[in-house]
Amino acid sequence: MKNAELPWKKTVRVPLGTPPVVDITLGEKGGEAGCTLAISGKRVQRATASGAFGRSTCTTGEPPTPEASASP
């Protein structure tokens, strides 16, 4: 999404077997933005972008398995 009005939050469901990736790139005016990746409500990674054209990426590297995503 470009030029999002702040504060901005988006929650999406990713099918099992698909590695989730969240990528943020700031514009030339910079600022600060962060991404958080959670699986079944458990935070697994957080990253922060800052400055002009700052970038942050959150990813698990591997897709979650049904066992890891099962609700207790």
Side-chain angles (χ1 to χ4, degrees), residues 5-48:
E5 187 175 321
L6 300 177
W8 183 78
K9 178 180 180 178
K10 175 101 175 158
T11 301
V12 296
R13 294 189 182 271
V14 178
L16 287 176
T18 304
V21 177
V22 178
D23 184 46
I24 296 172
T25 304
L26 300 173
E28 64 185 25
K29 292 184 180 179
E32 187 172 299
C35 61
T36 301
L37 182 60
I39 298 176
S40 296
K42 182 179 178 183
R43 187 170 73 183
V44 295
Q45 190 175 41
R46 178 165 171 68
T48 302

